[in-house]
Amino acid sequence: MTEVKREVFGQMPRAEGGGVVEKFVLKSDSVKVEILSLGCIIAALETKGRDGEFSDVVLGFDTLEGYMREHPYFGATVGRVANRIAKGRFTVDGKEYQLFLNNGPNSLHGGARGFDKVLWSPQVLPNGVCFFRLSPDGEEGYPGDLKVWVTYTLSGGELAINYRAQTSKTTPINLTNHAYFNLAGQGSQDIYNHEISIEADSYLPVDETKIPTGEVAAVQGTSFDLRQPVELGKHLQKFHLDGFDHNFCLQQAQARRLVARARHPPSGRAMEVHTTQPGIQFYTGNNLDGSLRGKGAVAYPKHSAFCLETQNWPDAVNKPHFPSALLRPGEEYNHTTWLVFNAA
């Protein structure tokens, strides 16, 4: 049985349109997750270690004020297009669109005010919560009225996140959740003792602005071969890596499949990622620098968390040989990601 509770988390500033931000607490016998109506943010996720003790394994803030300040998308649903679009430009049906540039020369995670910074309308379900919003035609430069539903459901140790969308005009879309995980517990100094594996035979090399070059490169014989678990700290050292911020190319299938696994041997906590998406961005918190203080006023230094963002390939709207990122009127965008937590 999953217990669902709702409570007030805070009040949006008038400058941001006002409105009450609610928090939804989903609780099973092994996982407790807190989700905000602001940006569908996963604000806390507690899971058991092998000792049976619960620990919060996602980075974030204790109060709404933290989320209202600049932060790197902690726990948020990002869109209309997650990841980067080169030069913030794309052409659909012969018309060129220009987006806001918020990541060097590129547009990142939906632009200046993406899906992470707006209030969603919640509906409580027996085992979760469904959030809805209408992204109006022209919002952040994107075409079409886009109806979006993001549904979180919890069953035992499994948190499912389903994304659905329908549009009035052809538009690029790529939705993901940007939770930052540390299975030792949020506030732990690093993720070096985590074991990571990703079921991908290829990855996307990127240029100096993190835009894919267009090449789909084999992982075999490279630092990107994570098909067998690697201990992260040792792996970064061995290959002299600053960290990962890359898309791994998954088997192209609409069916649910296991795509990644993270394990923290000292606590026994493990997380499996299953998805219907064609890609997963593995990011090791390279841009965290200790300047942000999160829950319990703890500083979040570099490499103190990782993200496994299931999504379409970055800049797919400008790369015809990548999986299509376009949603057309009369079609439905529908993807699910499952996070499965256990302790061994």
Side-chain angles (χ1 to χ4, degrees), residues 11-324:
Q11 179 83 31
M12 292 279 276
R14 195 168 292 156
E16 296 286 333
V20 173
V21 178
E22 289 187 281
K23 176 168 84 175
F24 297 82
V25 183
L26 317 184
K27 194 173 175 209
S28 72
D29 53 358
S30 59
V31 172
K32 178 181 161 194
V33 58
E34 300 181 3
I35 305 155
L36 308 181
S37 58
L38 170 70
C40 308
I41 287 170
I42 296 176
L45 199 161
E46 294 181 18
T47 175
K48 280 181 183 173
R50 90 165 64 75
D51 59 3
E53 295 293 312
F54 279 93
S55 201
D56 182 4
V57 297
V58 297
L59 274 52
F61 302 102
D62 292 317
T63 63
L64 179 59
E65 287 70 45
Y67 291 105
M68 296 311 302
R69 292 195 289 270
E70 190 78 5
H71 69 92
Y73 306 94
F74 286 146
T77 291
V78 287
R80 200 175 279 197
V81 175
N83 218 308
R84 294 166 180 86
I85 294 179
K87 300 186 172 58
R89 271 205 298 270
F90 61 89
T91 300
V92 171
D93 298 338
K95 184 176 175 192
E96 182 170 280
Y97 294 86
Q98 178 65 56
L99 309 172
F100 184 76
L101 305 180
N102 60 336
N103 186 247
N106 306 315
S107 183
L108 175 71
H109 292 335
R113 193 166 191 263
F115 288 5
D116 58 299
K117 296 179 178 68
V118 292
L119 272 180
W120 294 62
S121 304
Q123 182 194 348
V124 172
L125 306 173
N127 61 340
V129 57
C130 176
F131 297 98
F132 171 79
R133 84 173 292 253
L134 172 68
S135 171
D137 186 14
E139 181 173 63
E140 284 297 323
Y142 288 99
D145 285 332
L146 186 75
K147 293 177 176 171
V148 192
W149 296 264
V150 178
T151 306
Y152 291 88
T153 48
L154 180 64
S155 171
E158 180 175 282
L159 177 67
I161 313 173
N162 174 258
Y163 307 90
R164 283 175 53 225
Q166 296 161 358
T167 186
S168 64
K169 291 181 188 169
T170 302
T171 183
I173 181 172
N174 184 20
L175 302 176
T176 191
N177 180 277
H178 210 311
Y180 285 69
F181 294 98
N182 187 321
L183 299 179
Q186 74 86 32
S188 300
Q189 283 303 290
D190 62 61
I191 46 173
Y192 299 141
N193 59 358
H194 283 57
E195 288 173 0
I196 302 281
S197 58
I198 298 177
E199 301 277 334
D201 296 331
S202 51
Y203 77 101
L204 300 181
V206 293
D207 67 17
E208 65 286 350
T209 74
K210 300 277 196 289
I211 291 289
T213 60
E215 181 192 359
V216 180
V219 301
Q220 181 76 39
T222 74
S223 59
F224 294 89
D225 192 344
L226 304 176
R227 292 173 295 185
Q228 294 299 319
V230 302
E231 189 178 321
L232 199 54
K234 286 182 180 158
H235 187 79
L236 295 179
Q237 259 181 328
K238 177 181 169 184
F239 289 99
H240 307 291
L241 297 176
D242 184 52
F244 287 94
D245 191 2
H246 295 78
N247 178 79
F248 287 76
C249 308
L250 306 173
Q251 183 196 338
Q252 305 287 299
Q254 274 290 312
R256 170 178 176 161
R257 61 222 184 276
L258 172 66
V259 297
R261 194 157 187 269
R263 190 168 158 264
H264 179 247
S267 67
R269 277 189 202 90
M271 175 176 86
E272 288 179 355
V273 183
H274 301 244
T275 192
T276 58
Q277 287 276 25
I280 188 166
Q281 186 87 4
F282 178 39
Y283 174 54
T284 48
N286 316 327
N287 299 324
L288 297 174
D289 60 6
S291 60
L292 275 178
R293 292 195 169 269
K295 291 180 265 198
V298 172
Y300 292 146
K302 182 173 179 169
H303 297 161
S304 59
F306 65 89
C307 306
L308 286 166
E309 303 156 69
T310 52
Q311 55 185 274
N312 199 357
W313 301 4
D315 200 34
V317 70
N318 292 314
K319 305 268 197 301
H321 61 297
F322 283 11
S324 173

